[in-house]
Amino acid sequence: MEEKIQLFEGQQVRHEWDDEREEWYFSVVDVVAVLAEPENARRYWSDLKRSLKQEGSQLYEEIVQLKMQAADGKMRMTDVATTEQLLRLIQSIPSKKAEPFKLWLAQVGSERLDETVDPELSIDRAIQNYRRLGYSENWINQRIKSIEVRKALTDEWDKSGVQQGEEYAALTDLMSRTWSGMNTREYKKYKGLKKEGLRDNMTNTELVLNMLAEVAATDISTVRRPDGFSESAHVAEEGATAAKVAREQIEMSTGKPAISSLNAKNLPGRLDGGREVIMIEGDQ
C-alpha cells in the first residue's frame, strides 16, 4: 500500500530488539489484545496456540519467549514473535483491525507474482518508493545501479556453487570488512541502524565504493571461475581490496573519512529534510 500502515494505532505493545539476531520481537499477548480485543487476551492466545498446534502450523513451533516487563513492573517470560511471524499470525485473527494487514499482504503477494513475470516492475516500484521517501534523483540512480551490480555478483556466486543464506552473508561481511573496515553488523551499528537496509542508508560515496568492490569481484570471478565458497572468498576479498585502495585515496585527498555515520534520516539531498518514514517491506 502507498499509505504507511499504522501497526498498533499508538496502543502499547511491548517489544525488544535482539542485537544478535537483528530482529524486533513483539509480545504476542499485547498484539492479540489490540487486534482481537478479547476480555482475556492470554486465554485467547492460549486457545489460538492450541488451534495452531492442532493444524500443524509451523508458526506454533517458531514462537519463542523473552523476559519483558509486566504490568506490575516485574520481568516475566512471555511469548514473542518477529515482524514476519506477526504478519502470519494476524491472518489467523478475525478482527476488523486486522483487515488492513490482510489486504496489504494480498496486495504484496500479487505484486511479487507480477514481478516474477516482469522483473522491471520491481525496479519501477523501487524508484517510486525512493522518490516518495525523499531521496535525490542522483542517489536513486546510484542505488538502482547498485542493485544491478549486486545481482551480477550473486549470479557469479551461484555459478561458483556458493549457497544462498549463510554463505552469501559471510561473503558480504568479508567484502564489507575488507573495504570499509567494518562487517555488515558493525557498519549498521555505526549508522545507528537496526532492521533497516544498509545500502538504503549509504551516501553516494559509500554506494560507489561498495559497487566498486562488487564489480571488481564479479570481473575477477568471471576470469578465475572459482569453485565453491573458499575460492569465492579469495575472489571477494581481492575485489573488495580494490575498493579499499580507492577509499584510502579519497580519504588522503579530502582529509576526511569516506565512511559516514549518516543514515536515511539525514542523508544530504533528502527532499523531506530527514523525516522519519516507517515502511513494512520485504528486503533483500
Side-chain angles (χ1 to χ4, degrees), residues 21-237:
R21 297 185 178 90
E22 294 190 327
E23 287 279 5
W24 281 108
Y25 284 91
F26 300 87
S27 165
V28 178
V29 171
D30 291 356
V31 175
V32 168
V34 171
L35 295 181
E37 298 181 316
E39 291 185 7
N40 188 323
R42 294 187 183 281
R43 174 70 61 82
Y44 186 100
W45 170 230
S46 178
D47 292 342
L48 182 55
K49 270 201 303 186
R50 189 179 302 109
S51 176
L52 290 171
K53 183 178 181 179
Q54 290 173 350
E55 294 170 2
S57 171
Q58 186 179 0
L59 178 59
Y60 172 83
E61 303 293 336
E62 294 173 352
I63 295 295
V64 297
Q65 289 194 327
L66 289 178
K67 274 192 175 181
M68 289 187 169
Q69 189 173 27
D72 60 6
K74 295 182 179 180
M75 300 297 290
R76 291 192 174 90
M77 298 296 288
T78 187
D79 288 344
V80 295
T82 64
T83 305
E84 179 185 351
Q85 291 164 356
L86 273 187
L87 290 172
R88 288 157 56 194
L89 179 63
I90 284 168
Q91 297 178 73
S92 302
I93 299 177
S95 165
K96 290 182 179 179
K97 290 186 177 182
E99 286 307 309
F101 297 98
K102 294 177 182 178
L103 290 172
W104 176 76
L105 289 169
Q107 179 175 330
V108 169
S110 175
E111 290 173 354
R112 293 299 180 266
L113 287 174
D114 291 342
E115 289 167 5
T116 59
V117 177
D118 184 1
E120 189 174 339
L121 290 174
S122 62
I123 300 298
D124 291 340
R125 202 180 319 280
I127 292 173
Q128 292 170 13
N129 283 335
Y130 286 132
R131 283 174 177 162
R132 181 168 56 83
L133 294 174
Y135 288 96
S136 69
E137 289 298 315
N138 183 35
W139 186 94
I140 292 172
N141 290 336
Q142 297 282 15
R143 181 67 179 96
I144 297 304
K145 184 63 179 178
S146 74
I147 294 172
E148 177 187 335
V149 168
R150 174 69 177 180
K151 179 64 166 58
L153 176 60
T154 56
D155 284 347
E156 278 299 310
W157 286 350
D158 287 341
K159 293 176 185 176
S160 302
V162 176
Q163 300 298 309
Q164 293 189 29
E166 290 186 5
E167 290 190 348
Y168 266 37
L171 291 182
T172 301
D173 264 355
L174 171 62
M175 295 183 69
S176 177
R177 186 168 56 251
T178 300
W179 78 262
S180 74
M182 295 176 282
N183 63 29
T184 305
R185 181 175 297 176
E186 293 166 342
Y187 206 155
K188 290 177 70 173
K189 186 175 182 180
Y190 179 65
K191 285 181 171 289
L193 306 176
K194 288 185 169 64
K195 195 67 175 173
E196 304 92 332
L198 178 57
R199 289 175 178 81
D200 285 346
N201 288 274
M202 285 182 170
T203 63
N204 277 328
T205 300
E206 290 171 303
L207 277 175
V208 169
L209 288 171
N210 193 64
M211 280 193 287
L212 174 57
E214 295 185 335
V215 164
T218 301
D219 287 348
I220 296 170
S221 181
T222 58
V223 173
R224 299 268 184 84
R225 296 184 179 179
D227 182 16
F229 174 81
S230 181
E231 292 183 13
S232 294
H234 288 298
V235 169
E237 185 172 15

